[in-house]
Amino acid sequence: EVTWSDEDEDELKEAIEESADRLEALVGNLLDMSRLQAGALVAHPCATDLGEVIPATLATLPDPTRATWAIDPDARTVEADAGLLDRVLGNIAENALRYQPVDAPITVHASRVSDRVEIRVVDTGVGVPPEEQERIFQPFQRQGDAPSGDGLGLGLAVARGLTEAMGGQLGAEPTPGGGLTLVVTLPTRAGQAIAPENGEGP
């Protein structure tokens, strides 16, 4: 019985679509966390082209224009599960956008370091104190200045679990000048695993 203008209908449809996308991402993270905790998640790493995965993942962000990316020529191929890597980068990028000033994009840069590739997702937001950087990878942990009602704090925990399932590592470091940089380290050949900094296996 309510008559909506075309503009009102478009606005409502956009809100419904955004809410459905958020719900889908939340359900996906809950399922991934359940599989990780049960040891039921199986990765299938193979030679993966970052030139395909990174732009495709960033294109699915709520506002793709707020992200830029670059891949060094010798860092294009990694040993990874493309589907899981998409989930990892999507969760990290969405987290970065929550804290990034609206007038500046986050940046994603892949570079080769010896026999591995590092993918850095860089924001210049509020940052995280060094003593808190490990805590953000625990389930249901949110940064202190997280927007109210925005997520359950699962994204980074899931991202680390999926990265390790592929034989990689996920860590955090401060962005020079302020902000947080998340670093996904992946192997470049089959059977290679990236050992964490403490020397223990994944």
Side-chain angles (χ1 to χ4, degrees), residues 76-140:
R76 183 153 180 155
T77 302
V78 296
E79 192 74 13
D81 182 312
L84 297 187
L85 183 56
D86 172 75
R87 296 280 295 159
V88 168
L89 296 178
N91 278 352
I92 294 173
E94 288 189 18
N95 182 80
L97 284 176
R98 293 190 183 103
Y99 302 95
Q100 182 71 355
V102 295
D103 58 346
I106 63 170
T107 61
V108 180
H109 180 216
S111 59
R112 182 77 175 256
V113 180
S114 185
D115 60 350
R116 63 190 184 273
V117 166
E118 294 182 347
I119 307 171
R120 280 179 157 72
V121 181
V122 182
D123 75 60
T124 55
V126 294
V128 175
E131 65 274 12
E132 296 290 322
Q133 288 178 1
E134 274 302 305
R135 186 181 65 83
I136 65 175
F137 296 108
Q138 298 174 7
F140 304 107

Side-chain angles (χ1 to χ4, degrees), residues 140-157:
F140 304 107
Q141 297 293 322
R142 300 171 65 204
Q143 292 170 235
D145 293 328
S148 177
D150 194 359
L152 294 177
L154 281 176
L156 295 185

